[in-house]
Amino acid sequence: SKADGVIGVDVNYNHIAFSHVNGQGQLLSSSCLYFSLEGKRSGQITKILEAEAIRLVDIAVQRNKPIVLEALDTTLSKSAGRYRNRKQNRRMSLFAYKKMQGSIHSRAAKMGVAVFEVNPAFTSQIGKMKYMKQMHISIHQAASYVIGRRGMNLKEQVPKGLQAYTERKDGEHHWKQWSVLTKAFSVLRSHLFYHVSGQSYPLFNKEICNYGLTQAERDSLQKYVPKVWLEEREA
């Protein structure tokens, strides 16, 4: 049952980020399980991932909560590994990602833990822009929190500080706003979001400018931010 909350899980090439979410969708705690697949053969990778799946499901058993995963994303854009070349990276990542998903499902079924899957759209971006600084967690932990909340059918509204970059139209899915924001901030370094509060539109822009942008970041941001804020920084 999701009544008492869930454990949201974000699977990555060298770790599993997971978040304990209560019945109201609030974050109780967040952590990671780390492992290394580099240089390992397929049989070794299988054993490593199965062991990590056991660790994760045991945590779910202890917490008496179901697990929420992303539905398998075959593009694996955020799961790219650090292996030999891009083509091999993708094959290895896809293999590891599928193996981890399968291992979690298998272990959970054995231990009587329910597993739910959700659409992976914008989970990392929402986590980065909305929860990373607020909760003092990594981008992957923030993504796991968003995954958990999505598994509880909770919507992620855009913070007030970012609403000026996008406009919600009647009948439009709220993911459209996150799509616009993702494009607006596509060139900004992720760690910049640790340094801005996002509580208000002017404050957000002043903090971004005061932290120091690269020229590429400034050029991109000017398409979405009124030039007055960048000009004030120049002055």
Side-chain angles (χ1 to χ4, degrees):
S1 171
K2 301 178 185 177
D4 294 326
V6 301
I7 294 181
V9 177
D10 183 51
V11 177
N12 298 279
Y13 71 92
N14 65 351
H15 71 281
I16 303 172
F18 62 96
S19 293
H20 301 286
V21 185
N22 68 15
Q24 289 72 50
Q26 300 167 325
L27 181 66
L28 298 178
S29 64
S30 185
S31 189
C32 296
L33 301 176
Y34 292 96
F35 50 87
S36 175
L37 304 180
E38 190 168 359
K40 302 295 192 301
R41 298 187 299 274
S42 61
Q44 294 173 314
I45 290 175
T46 296
K47 290 183 179 180
I48 291 172
L49 297 182
E50 286 177 347
E52 297 306 317
I54 289 173
R55 290 175 64 190
L56 177 67
V57 174
D58 284 350
I59 292 171
V61 171
Q62 293 169 6
R63 294 275 180 159
N64 194 32
K65 291 181 178 179
I67 291 172
V68 181
L69 301 170
E70 290 178 319
L72 184 63
D73 179 4
T74 55
T75 63
L76 292 172
S77 58
K78 70 175 182 178
S79 301
R82 298 173 181 172
Y83 302 104
R84 299 174 187 171
N85 58 62
R86 183 176 298 180
K87 189 174 182 179
Q88 187 172 2
N89 285 351
R90 189 180 180 282
R91 280 203 301 265
M92 180 62 73
S93 297
L94 182 58
F95 169 78
Y97 197 77
K98 285 182 175 179
K99 182 64 68 174
M100 177 61 80
Q101 294 278 69
S103 296
I104 292 173
H105 276 281
S106 177
R107 178 65 178 180
K110 182 177 180 180
M111 301 301 293
V113 174
V115 178
F116 300 93
E117 293 191 352
V118 297
N119 191 312
F122 308 112
T123 53
S124 292
Q125 297 301 319
I126 294 172
K128 176 178 69 176
M129 290 185 243
K130 188 173 183 179
Y131 296 119
M132 191 169 69
K133 176 182 173 65
Q134 177 185 344
M135 302 299 182
H136 304 287
I137 54 181
S138 73
I139 186 172
H140 298 298
Q141 289 172 279
S144 71
Y145 179 39
V146 174
I147 292 167
R149 285 175 51 84
R150 186 169 294 177
M152 298 175 68
N153 298 317
L154 297 174
K155 293 183 178 180
E156 300 295 351
Q157 302 299 331
V158 173
K160 291 183 178 180
L162 301 180
Q163 288 177 2
Y165 293 90
T166 182
E167 183 179 353
R168 180 78 180 274
K169 299 178 182 179
D170 292 340
E172 187 177 67
H173 197 284
H174 66 284
W175 285 357
K176 177 62 177 180
Q177 289 181 293
W178 288 111
S179 175
V180 172
L181 291 173
T182 296
K183 292 177 182 178
F185 301 131
S186 61
V187 301
L188 293 185
R189 290 158 290 170
S190 294
H191 75 269
L192 285 175
F193 288 87
Y194 279 120
H195 301 277
V196 294
S197 65
Q199 295 302 309
S200 69
Y201 175 56
L203 180 60
F204 176 84
N205 287 291
K206 286 182 178 179
E207 288 177 330
I208 277 285
C209 292
N210 287 336
Y211 184 74
L213 300 173
T214 65
Q215 189 59 49
E217 289 170 333
R218 294 178 65 82
D219 292 343
S220 177
L221 203 58
Q222 279 183 330
K223 299 176 184 178
Y224 298 89
V225 181
K227 292 183 180 180
V228 62
W229 297 114
L230 298 177
E231 290 171 355
E232 283 187 4
R233 171 56 181 152
E234 298 264 345

